[in-house]
Amino acid sequence: GAVVSQHPSWVICKSGTSVKIECRSLDFQATTMFWYRQFPKQSLMLMATSNEGSKATYEQGVEKDKFLINHASLTLSTLTVTSAHPEDSSFYICSAPGQLDTEAFFGQGTRLTVV
Amino acid sequence: AQSVTQPDIHITVSEGASLELRCNYSYGATPYLFWYVQSPGQGLQLLLKYFSGDTLVQGIKGFEAEFKRSQSSFNLRKPSVHWSDAAEYFCAVGPRSQGNLIFGKGTKLSVKP
């Protein structure tokens, strides 16, 4: 079946640095990908919709200048957390939609810890 | 407003016992409904989904769920729980099967030996 690969699975970075997270669709093309964030003991919240070849669409309250999304190809979307702060520590997970009447395929997630 | 409610934050059951996890949704259009399972530090695995047709859907690992439109519910069930079922379970709803889902807050399942 369809597979979405997310890398890295975990990362620790210093406050003020930037971190890039990759989301790849391995055996299918994804013109759209979704980025979610999950804080401890909370649900997944949609952050943004990544669109191949165009600007991402951000959910209300998500800073587009802080969470840079690039969807340069049909199989790769990246999320860059710029100038990370401890409050950005979270579990970030991407997904790509399947064909009609199939589910979305999720990456393994990335645990970001900012120290 | 669109939302998913999972009223039980944490449930503990004995191994071999039956399980029911509750999910209620509020949605303006015909919902696509999903149950996902998340093991610690892992991504999401789809257990089952409902789009249309038979309101009782079968999923992987022996799980099933029943869609009740009149109650806006999509409860997950399993007749006999195994220790390996201990995980976090999320109910989700979407406008279509395209991934921009609305998730509930999850129910953590613990299994007693």
Side-chain angles (χ1 to χ4, degrees):
Chain A
V3 176
V4 172
S5 177
Q6 191 171 337
H7 177 80
S9 56
W10 61 272
V11 58
I12 301 173
C13 71
K14 291 185 177 181
S15 185
T17 62
S18 295
V19 173
K20 180 184 285 187
I21 303 170
E22 294 186 346
C23 181
R24 293 181 184 273
S25 57
L26 295 186
D27 53 0
F28 67 105
Q29 294 181 336
T31 57
T32 302
M33 289 186 178
F34 300 91
W35 287 95
Y36 293 84
R37 179 170 53 188
Q38 183 184 26
F39 290 109
K41 301 187 185 300
Q42 298 293 319
S43 186
L44 289 85
M45 298 295 292
L46 182 65
M47 297 175 63
T49 301
S50 172
N51 304 299
E52 188 269 334
S54 64
K55 291 183 179 180
T57 305
Y58 291 83
E59 296 300 303
Q60 190 174 9
V62 178
E63 300 175 60
K64 62 180 181 180
D65 294 331
K66 181 171 186 60
F67 298 99
L68 300 180
I69 291 174
N70 184 277
H71 197 148
S73 78
L74 288 171
T75 59
L76 175 64
S77 175
T78 60
L79 168 67
T80 301
V81 183
T82 63
S83 187
H85 291 283
E87 57 264 32
D88 298 323
S89 298
S90 186
F91 188 70
Y92 294 85
I93 191 165
C94 66
S95 76
Q99 300 300 312
L100 187 63
D101 281 352
T102 66
E103 76 276 13
F105 300 99
F106 284 83
Q108 305 94 317
T110 298
R111 172 73 60 193
L112 170 63
T113 302
V114 184
V115 297
Chain B
Q2 300 173 356
S3 66
V4 175
T5 302
Q6 293 180 246
D8 304 305
I9 297 173
H10 190 184
I11 285 182
T12 300
V13 299
S14 298
E15 189 168 16
S18 63
L19 171 71
E20 182 170 36
L21 302 182
R22 295 182 290 168
C23 173
N24 293 94
Y25 66 91
S26 174
Y27 204 72
T30 299
Y32 290 95
L33 292 156
F34 307 81
W35 274 99
Y36 287 90
V37 60
Q38 183 183 36
S39 297
Q42 301 296 313
L44 298 176
Q45 181 181 21
L46 179 71
L47 286 176
L48 46 78
K49 62 195 177 194
Y50 173 77
F51 291 161
S52 63
D54 192 346
T55 56
L56 183 63
V57 294
Q58 302 297 320
I60 62 172
K61 303 184 179 184
F63 286 92
E64 66 178 26
E66 186 171 12
F67 171 59
K68 294 184 177 180
R69 185 184 299 276
S70 62
Q71 299 178 19
S72 297
S73 69
F74 189 55
N75 295 346
L76 181 71
R77 301 194 293 250
K78 186 170 184 177
S80 178
V81 170
H82 188 263
W83 64 267
S84 60
D85 294 324
E88 188 100 23
Y89 291 81
F90 291 95
C91 180
V93 64
R96 61 189 185 277
S97 53
Q98 295 299 309
N100 48 341
L101 300 172
I102 300 168
F103 286 85
K105 290 190 175 182
T107 298
K108 182 178 180 180
L109 173 65
S110 298
V111 180
K112 293 189 299 184

